[in-house]
C-alpha cells in the first residue's frame, strides 16, 4: 500500500509473475489498482519469466517467513544485475543475509504490517532513482560460491572428514 502513496515523478507499476496461492485475498485489498498499476500474470513459461526479469527496472523479492530457506529466484535476480527491493517480515531471514553485500539492494523489514516513514522515503528514492545495473564480472565473482562446482566441492570437503581406518558411517543396523 505504501508504494501507491509514494510519488516518484513517474508511473510505477508492480507486476506479479507466478501463482499467488493463498495470498490472493491480499490482492482484494488493492482491487482498485488491479489492471492499472498492479498486474497479476499468473504462472508463465520460463522464457516469459526471464523476459519479464530483463524488462523490469527493479526486481522485488517478498521473502519467506522463514529464516532457513533461500528461494532460488533470488539467485536468478542477482544474476540479472538489476536493482533489488527485498521485503521481509523476519529481521534475519536467509535472503537478507544472502543479499547483504549486493550493491543494488534496498532491503526493508516490515514489522507490525506497516512501513516506517523512513522506509517509505527510502523506497521513494530507490524507485525514483534506481541503482545502476551491477556489472557482469562483479556478478560472476559474487555468485561463484553458489555455482554447482563450488557447492559440490563443499560437499566433497564435508565427506573428506578424517576417519580412523576401518571406521564406517553408521547404517542404523
Amino acid at each position: 500500500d505504501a508504494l501507491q502513496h509514494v510519488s516518484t515523478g513517474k508511473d510505477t507499476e508492480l507486476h506479479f509473475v507466478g501463482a499467488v496461492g493463498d495470498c490472493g485475498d491480499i490482492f482484494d485489498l488493492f482491487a482498485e489498482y488491479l489492471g492499472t498499476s498492479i498486474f497479476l500474470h499468473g504462472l508463465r513459461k520460463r522464457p516469459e519469466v526471464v523476459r519479464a526479469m530483463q524488462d523490469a527496472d527493479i526486481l522485488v523479492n517478498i521473502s519467506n517467513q522463514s529464516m532457513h530457506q533461500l528461494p532460488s529466484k533470488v539467485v536468478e535476480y542477482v544474476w540479472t544485475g538489476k536493482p533489488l527491493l527485498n521485503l521481509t517480515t523476519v529481521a534475519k531471514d536467509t535472503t537478507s543475509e544472502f543479499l547483504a553485500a549486493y550493491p543494488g539492494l534496498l532491503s526493508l523489514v516490515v514489522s507490525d504490517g506497516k512501513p516506517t516513514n523512513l522506509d517509505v522515503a527510502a523506497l521513494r528514492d530507490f524507485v525514483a532513482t534506481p541503482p545502476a545495473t551491477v556489472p557482469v564480472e562483479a556478478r560472476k565473482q559474487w555468485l561463484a560460491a553458489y555455482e554447482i562446482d563450488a557447492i559440490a566441492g563443499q560437499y566433497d570437503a564435508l565427506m573428506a572428514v578424517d576417519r580412523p581406518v576401518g571406521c564406517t558411517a553408521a547404517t542404523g543396523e
Side-chain angles (χ1 to χ4, degrees):
D1 189 38
L3 187 56
Q4 291 299 326
H5 304 290
V6 171
S7 176
T8 62
K10 58 183 176 183
D11 290 337
T12 302
E13 294 179 355
L14 190 55
H15 293 259
F16 289 86
V17 177
V20 295
D22 58 358
C23 299
D25 59 329
I26 293 172
F27 291 103
D28 293 341
L29 300 172
F30 304 98
E32 66 185 287
Y33 303 112
L34 291 175
T36 57
S37 57
I38 297 176
F39 300 88
L40 306 178
H41 298 281
L43 293 175
R44 293 288 184 248
K45 292 185 180 191
R46 182 89 180 119
E48 289 180 76
V49 173
V50 170
R51 191 170 37 257
M53 287 191 294
Q54 291 169 339
D55 291 345
D57 295 322
I58 297 170
L59 296 173
V60 179
N61 178 60
I62 302 172
S63 286
N64 297 328
Q65 292 185 341
S66 166
M67 294 173 29
H68 308 293
Q69 183 182 23
L70 179 67
S72 60
K73 69 179 178 185
V74 176
V75 177
E76 292 183 78
Y77 287 0
V78 167
W79 182 245
T80 69
K82 299 281 185 165
L84 297 176
L85 171 60
N86 183 51
L87 302 173
T88 182
T89 57
V90 180
K92 289 195 172 259
D93 75 320
T94 306
T95 301
S96 295
E97 290 179 21
F98 174 76
L99 293 173
Y102 187 74
L105 174 71
L106 174 61
S107 193
L108 300 176
V109 179
V110 178
S111 57
D112 298 328
K114 294 195 177 218
T116 66
N117 289 338
L118 289 175
D119 288 343
V120 172
L123 177 60
R124 180 190 60 243
D125 294 344
F126 189 78
V127 171
T129 310
T133 298
V134 178
V136 173
E137 286 307 314
R139 285 182 262 156
K140 283 182 180 179
Q141 183 178 15
W142 197 66
L143 289 171
Y146 304 97
E147 291 182 355
I148 292 173
D149 290 341
I151 293 170
Q154 292 175 18
Y155 277 109
D156 287 346
L158 286 171
M159 296 306 196
V161 175
D162 291 333
R163 292 190 179 109
V165 175
C167 180
T168 60
T171 61
E173 296 178 4

